[in-house]
Amino acid sequence: DNVMTRMLGPSTIAGAELGLWKTLGTTANIYGLSLTSSDHGAFLIQLTTLIVPAAQGFMGVPIPTRIWSAIGLALGGVFVFTQDPNQMDCASLTGDLLCALAAIFYATYDLRLFKWGKLVPTDELITTKMVTQSLLSFGMLAVLGRDETLDFISQASYHDLELVGVVALWSGLAVNCLAPYLQVSGQQAVGPARAQILYASQPLWAAVMSFFLLGEQFGTQGYIGGSAFLGAMFLAATAEMPDPNCPEEACEV
């Protein structure tokens, strides 16, 4: 690892690693969302809020009891939420599992971003990450989706192409360009576990938008499970901070 870093430079190694984790997460997330409801996907992706502090704990960072309580509450809430009969026609176990896998990739990305953000200038880090994501995406498209893509383009209407263009621009400019720049500075200030408090608002926005745009509904189990999950997010995000006087290597990942 040190030899590779000296040969290619830290910015290249860091950007390539972050780009790989983000590409894996995005791929699993997209496939998962195609097989489940947007509400399920949004809530399961927020497992990052629990995975990040749990990973820090396994690496030696002191983790409060509240975090472990939040993990149990979240897992129970997610189970109840995914059993909501109102969404059984648009959700599947395979889709839910893929979204949970995406959460693991995204959590790894958050942790590694915190490390590399201290060592590599933000411009170099994010630029290399974006280039890596683009190369991996085009490579996967050429190998796995070439025929399907050509068929879609040949049969797509103007509205279809317009919709794909808008989604691609939003994903490229807002999600994968602007957001990472803001994330690097923000996580350096508060740490990866604290940053999850803002990320935890994603299911709320997704639920509101899917209600108005997609017509998706919650049943009683959905409300109960969702409330338990959000309660777990609150516990995880408001747990005590690590001892500020202990060495950085022991208290921050």
Side-chain angles (χ1 to χ4, degrees):
D1 183 51
N2 291 333
V3 174
M4 290 291 292
T5 301
R6 288 196 299 269
M7 291 177 59
L8 301 177
S11 62
T12 301
I13 297 297
E17 180 187 347
L18 294 178
L20 174 62
W21 289 121
K22 200 62 178 286
T23 300
L24 291 173
T26 301
T27 302
N29 192 20
I30 290 174
Y31 277 109
L33 287 174
S34 70
L35 299 174
T36 192
S37 70
S38 61
D39 292 329
H40 277 215
F43 273 83
L44 289 168
I45 286 297
Q46 285 316 121
L47 285 171
T48 54
T49 306
L50 302 172
I51 295 172
V52 168
Q56 288 185 303
F58 287 125
M59 293 179 182
V61 179
I63 299 298
T65 303
R66 183 180 295 187
I67 292 294
W68 302 116
S69 299
I71 291 175
L73 181 60
L75 292 177
V78 168
F79 176 78
V80 174
F81 184 85
T82 54
Q83 303 308 304
D84 186 355
N86 281 34
Q87 298 200 12
M88 286 303 173
D89 58 338
C90 57
S92 71
L93 177 61
T94 301
D96 289 348
L97 289 175
L98 284 171
C99 288
L101 178 62
I104 295 175
F105 289 138
Y106 286 145
T108 304
Y109 171 84
D110 285 346
L111 290 167
R112 300 299 291 169
L113 179 67
F114 184 63
K115 174 201 171 181
W116 286 118
K118 294 181 176 181
L119 304 175
V120 179
T122 301
D123 289 349
E124 296 180 18
L125 183 63
I126 300 305
T127 299
T128 311
K129 180 195 81 76
M130 291 173 58
V131 170
T132 301
Q133 279 186 260
S134 299
L135 292 175
L136 289 174
S137 298
F138 280 117
M140 292 175 63
L141 183 64
V143 174
L144 301 177
R146 179 177 178 275
D147 294 336
E148 291 83 355
T149 302
L150 293 177
D151 289 342
F152 171 78
I153 294 176
S154 64
Q155 301 175 17
S157 65
Y158 175 79
H159 175 72
D160 293 333
L161 295 176
E162 185 180 43
L163 181 60
V164 170
V166 170
V167 172
L169 283 175
W170 173 259
S171 177
L173 295 177
V175 177
N176 290 302
C177 181
L178 177 60
Y181 274 99
L182 301 176
Q183 187 180 11
V184 172
S185 299
Q187 283 200 180
Q188 296 312 306
V190 301
R194 299 297 120 187
Q196 303 303 314
I197 188 172
L198 296 178
Y199 305 155
S201 64
Q202 178 182 328
L204 296 177
W205 294 106
V208 171
M209 294 177 69
S210 64
F211 175 80
F212 288 105
L213 299 179
L214 303 178
E216 293 184 2
Q217 301 287 333
F218 284 120
T220 302
Q221 287 175 281
Y223 283 112
I224 294 174
S227 297
F229 192 84
L230 291 177
M233 298 299 99
F234 177 79
L235 288 176
T238 58
E240 309 91 85
M241 292 288 288
D243 182 2
N245 296 318
C246 65
E248 182 177 336
E249 291 77 8
C251 296
E252 293 288 355
V253 176

